[in-house]
Amino acid sequence: MDIKNMSYINEMTIMGNLGSKPELRTSKTGKKSTLISIATKERWIDKHTLEPQERLLWHKVILWDGLAETVVKHTDKGSKLWVRGELTIRTYVDKGGFQRQRVEVIGRTIKLISPNKNIEKEEDEVIFDSTDYVEDIGEISDE
């Protein structure tokens, strides 16, 4: 494999639990979205005490249109979700007027590992995919 001639890769895959019930929002241009937080755990063994350690990590994920509607309809706080997407850094102004940056995942494919009761499924996982690219990310409110 000739790595020198390969394109760049920006891909992230996470699986964890939703921190809250997702809410559907609509931008000024009519795009539907939801900004969710997914909790994962980092685990390791302390090299001095040899005791297992863990830390909870929160990942912000933005989902658009059909993916957003699916997650809002079929998940609740605590639902397990698998997401594949790409990392982005978004700049916004907080309530105090300060400019902030946040790393987010733009979700492209999701698997509902533990959906709520609003979905009938025949398999263990339900997969949804989107190839839409959205450029109005700046319209998401952080409130």
Side-chain angles (χ1 to χ4, degrees):
M1 177 185 322
D2 185 10
I3 295 178
K4 290 183 206 175
N5 294 324
M6 289 181 65
S7 297
Y8 294 101
I9 297 173
N10 177 4
E11 183 174 80
M12 176 139 182
T13 304
I14 56 176
M15 184 173 68
N17 297 87
L18 291 178
S20 62
K21 171 72 177 151
E23 295 180 13
L24 193 63
R25 298 181 181 192
T26 304
S27 73
K28 294 174 189 171
T29 60
K31 287 280 193 187
K32 295 187 184 325
S33 68
T34 188
L35 181 63
I36 59 175
S37 294
I38 297 180
T40 63
K41 289 184 181 178
E42 177 182 11
R43 292 186 170 113
W44 71 95
I45 302 294
D46 184 283
K47 65 182 180 181
H48 301 294
T49 65
L50 301 178
E51 293 291 322
Q53 304 290 316
E54 73 177 28
R55 173 176 33 206
L56 186 65
L57 303 172
W58 290 96
H59 310 274
K60 292 288 188 184
V61 178
I62 183 76
L63 300 170
W64 294 96
D65 294 324
L67 291 181
E69 291 173 316
T70 298
V71 166
V72 168
K73 182 177 179 182
H74 299 298
T75 64
D76 292 309
K77 179 180 179 177
S79 292
K80 187 166 278 197
L81 190 65
W82 177 96
V83 178
R84 178 180 288 153
E86 64 226 31
L87 287 176
T88 189
I89 298 175
R90 185 168 62 86
T91 303
Y92 64 97
V93 178
D94 69 12
K95 292 178 183 177
F98 296 99
Q99 186 170 331
R100 305 281 186 195
Q101 288 188 328
R102 178 165 62 206
V103 175
E104 295 175 340
V105 177
I106 300 172
R108 301 289 185 211
T109 305
I110 60 172
K111 292 181 184 178
L112 304 179
I113 307 300
S114 61
N116 63 18
K117 306 295 185 234
N118 294 330
I119 192 167
E120 292 183 24
K121 58 182 185 142
E122 296 178 6
E123 301 179 17
D124 289 331
E125 300 171 350
V126 181
I127 303 170
F128 299 91
D129 187 51
S130 172
T131 55
D132 296 334
Y133 184 76
V134 178
E135 295 189 24
D136 60 354
I137 292 173
E139 294 187 32
I140 301 296
S141 170
D142 291 301
E143 299 175 10

